[in-house]
Amino acid sequence: MRVITPGLLVAAVTELSLSRSAKLVRLKDVVAWCEWNGVDCQGPGSRLQALWDADREEAQGEHRLLKFKSGECKQSRVGWALRPHGDRAREAAALLGWRELLWDGEKWEWLGGSPPVVTRRPHPRRERTGSGPETDDSAQGLPPG
């Protein structure tokens, strides 16, 4: 099995953006492309390390891809676009609340200075019925009544 390279990452983004007419290609689609084409995106390191290495090498080299992310944590969603599709990819990313990342030669920098603020959906709170341990005096060590 081949390990992903910068060229294979560009090939995946190119094929996916052309076949789906989506200018912003998501990480999950690149991983699926790798599985379908017998490309190892994991490598010997931690989860998806070979993919992240290829991404960084591509940004340092020919720089044919744009990178977008939904937030600063590791669980944030990631996507790429081909440079010629930059305007449409930026529009798609803006609709999702994603921002562009630029490689400065040492690390990824957020275009605009800071990562996007992730808005979390509110979780419905449990109704307190008055019979749980949070309202039971005996649970708090108090005598009844």
Side-chain angles (χ1 to χ4, degrees), residues 88-131:
R88 290 186 59 200
R90 287 181 186 100
E91 288 173 14
L95 289 173
L96 294 169
W98 295 19
R99 294 258 298 281
E100 189 172 351
L101 290 169
L102 299 173
W103 182 256
D104 70 1
E106 294 181 20
K107 62 186 178 313
W108 290 102
E109 291 286 334
W110 292 97
L111 190 63
S114 61
V117 176
V118 178
T119 55
R120 307 235 185 259
R121 287 186 249 175
H123 289 41
R125 295 185 181 238
R126 289 187 214 154
E127 297 273 338
R128 292 192 180 186
T129 61
S131 61

Side-chain angles (χ1 to χ4, degrees), residues 10-11 17 19 55-56 58 63-64 68-69 71-72 82-83 85 93 100 102 108 112 115 120 124 126 134 143:
V10 171
S17 67
S19 68
D55 178 42
R56 188 177 59 251
E58 203 287 320
H63 199 67
R64 298 164 284 184
F68 298 87
K69 200 169 177 199
E72 63 182 331
L82 297 170
R83 285 189 144 313
H85 301 159
E100 189 172 351
L102 299 173
W108 290 102
R120 307 235 185 259
R126 289 187 214 154
E134 53 279 340

Side-chain angles (χ1 to χ4, degrees), residues 9-138:
L9 176 59
V10 171
V13 172
T14 301
E15 186 176 320
L16 291 164
S17 67
L18 294 175
S19 68
R20 297 182 181 189
S21 70
K23 301 308 174 195
L24 183 62
V25 176
R26 296 173 184 239
L27 170 67
K28 67 179 185 173
D29 296 324
V30 170
V31 171
W33 182 92
C34 288
E35 290 173 3
W36 179 259
N37 289 284
V39 175
D40 179 12
C41 60
Q42 188 78 22
S46 61
R47 186 168 187 271
L48 301 178
Q49 188 60 49
L51 178 63
W52 304 132
D53 291 345
D55 178 42
R56 188 177 59 251
E57 288 174 35
E58 203 287 320
Q60 291 173 331
E62 294 184 52
H63 199 67
R64 298 164 284 184
L65 298 177
L66 302 173
K67 184 175 181 180
F68 298 87
K69 200 169 177 199
S70 67
E72 63 182 331
C73 72
K74 287 185 179 184
Q75 293 80 16
S76 297
R77 291 176 172 81
V78 176
W80 294 271
L82 297 170
R83 285 189 144 313
H85 301 159
D87 291 339
R88 290 186 59 200
R90 287 181 186 100
E91 288 173 14
L95 289 173
L96 294 169
W98 295 19
R99 294 258 298 281
E100 189 172 351
L101 290 169
L102 299 173
W103 182 256
D104 70 1
E106 294 181 20
K107 62 186 178 313
W108 290 102
E109 291 286 334
W110 292 97
L111 190 63
S114 61
V117 176
V118 178
T119 55
R120 307 235 185 259
R121 287 186 249 175
H123 289 41
R125 295 185 181 238
R126 289 187 214 154
E127 297 273 338
R128 292 192 180 186
T129 61
S131 61
E134 53 279 340
T135 58
D136 186 358
D137 289 339
S138 63

